[in-house]
Amino acid sequence: MSLRTLGLNSTFSRLFNKPADLTKTVLTVLDFKNNAQASLDSIMTRCDQEMGGFSSVNFNVDPVSKAGHFYGYLNLDVPKDHPEATRSGYAMFRTRDQKDSWLSGNSYWDWSQYQALVMRVKGDRRKYLVNIQANTPLVTDLFQHRLFLHHPGEWETVVIPLNDFVMTNWGVIQDGGELNKSEVKTIGIGLLDKQYGPYSLYIDWAKVMTGTEVEKETRKARQEKLAIHGPESHRGGGDVSTEPHISAALGSQGNEDPKNTVF
């Protein structure tokens, strides 16, 4: 019987957790070019087929780019033989739960010293959401932010301040819910933009950063945006905004079914 079963895991995990290395400015979460197999092994996928739907989801390492590739087809048709299903059409991937410790129970990432999630991606014109799970009272709590892609079909750097993630539960934005950065469980990306058709998103790497590393990647993201779209495109911010804003975080339409991207 583990300490988690006895309800003591939170107390003991605080006692035995190693202190964060405050000198470390970058923590790699996924890196497909330099650590492909370990990154791939850490990924799990889900889609509406679990509820009788007709979408497809795949995740593998692309042999040409050597990047992780999340792709498939989104189908919104509601299965007729599942009367409990009122809507359909979602696909997602996320990192697997980290292995538990017998002594301390759940295992988490400690991102308390980091400021931003930074990803190197190449996508299409679909509306993706970045999803983070942390240790919260309800397992259905989810922290989300739109993955804004400024030049689909091209590699780009996306910088999202961790404080900009918005907490949702069963599709409802939770006021005052802040990401518990010291106990992060999983990270992933979901698609449920209510559009039939194929989707394709490549991810080279995902890291959390702080300090000058964030500034460097933010400048890179701005330069890439300017190179493609010119000076006018930089007005209005986007991914590199440092001010939390709910409508910007989730996009103008929000997200009605985050529960489908949680597990």
Side-chain angles (χ1 to χ4, degrees):
M1 180 178 294
S2 70
L3 293 175
R4 179 177 58 180
T5 305
L6 297 174
L8 301 175
N9 59 302
S10 296
T11 301
F12 278 83
S13 62
R14 286 192 294 269
L15 290 173
F16 290 96
N17 273 350
K18 293 182 180 179
D21 181 359
L22 299 180
T23 64
K24 194 172 183 179
T25 58
V26 179
L27 175 67
T28 299
V29 180
L30 295 169
D31 187 346
F32 288 96
K33 283 188 178 177
N34 296 313
N35 202 358
Q37 194 57 54
S39 295
L40 187 61
D41 290 345
S42 72
I43 295 295
M44 62 167 288
T45 61
R46 298 188 73 171
C47 74
D48 56 45
Q49 287 189 25
E50 298 174 343
M51 301 187 301
F54 307 101
S55 298
S56 64
V57 60
N58 305 275
F59 197 104
N60 55 34
V61 176
D62 179 64
V64 177
S65 66
K66 308 301 182 184
H69 190 195
F70 170 55
Y71 65 99
Y73 189 93
L74 207 66
N75 189 319
L76 310 186
D77 293 346
V78 178
K80 295 180 180 179
D81 55 348
H82 286 70
E84 72 281 2
T86 58
R87 66 186 66 185
S88 189
Y90 74 89
M92 57 78 73
F93 77 88
R94 71 163 173 86
T95 55
R96 298 180 185 275
D97 293 338
Q98 299 177 63
K99 292 183 178 179
D100 293 348
S101 163
W102 181 92
L103 183 62
S104 60
N106 289 327
S107 180
Y108 306 100
W109 282 305
D110 183 355
W111 292 358
S112 55
Q113 73 190 68
Y114 299 103
Q115 295 174 312
L117 171 68
V118 185
M119 295 180 289
R120 187 70 176 165
V121 295
K122 180 174 73 171
D124 48 23
R125 298 186 181 277
R126 306 300 294 255
K127 296 178 181 178
Y128 299 94
L129 285 169
V130 182
N131 304 310
I132 294 178
Q133 284 181 284
N135 186 22
T136 58
L138 300 176
V139 297
T140 50
D141 289 337
L142 189 65
F143 295 85
Q144 299 186 298
H145 197 288
R146 268 284 302 278
L147 178 62
F148 291 105
L149 301 177
H150 293 294
H151 38 279
E154 302 288 341
W155 283 102
E156 56 188 298
T157 302
V158 177
V159 181
I160 307 176
L162 290 172
N163 289 338
D164 279 12
F165 278 82
V166 174
M167 183 178 178
T168 63
N169 187 287
W170 297 108
V172 178
I173 293 175
Q174 305 297 298
D175 294 334
E178 295 184 0
L179 175 63
N180 179 4
K181 295 194 291 183
S182 65
E183 293 181 315
V184 175
K185 298 169 65 176
T186 70
I187 181 173
I189 294 176
L191 176 67
L192 31 74
D193 61 0
K194 301 180 182 178
Q195 299 293 324
Y196 284 88
Y199 62 90
S200 176
L201 179 71
Y202 295 86
I203 177 167
D204 186 354
W205 49 259
K207 304 175 183 181
V208 285
M209 301 181 181
T210 193
T212 57
E213 294 295 333
V214 176
E215 296 173 5
K216 180 177 68 176
E217 295 298 335
T218 298
R219 286 194 298 270
K220 181 188 296 183
R222 288 172 175 163
Q223 291 167 357
E224 290 172 344
K225 187 177 177 183
L226 289 170
I228 298 296
H229 299 292
E232 290 297 319
S233 68
H234 183 57
R235 297 178 183 177
D239 303 325
V240 296
S241 170
T242 58
E243 294 297 324
H245 193 282
I246 288 178
S247 63
L250 295 183
S252 59
Q253 297 180 351
N255 179 28
E256 296 184 1
D257 283 318
K259 61 181 179 295
N260 290 332
T261 67
V262 176
F263 302 109

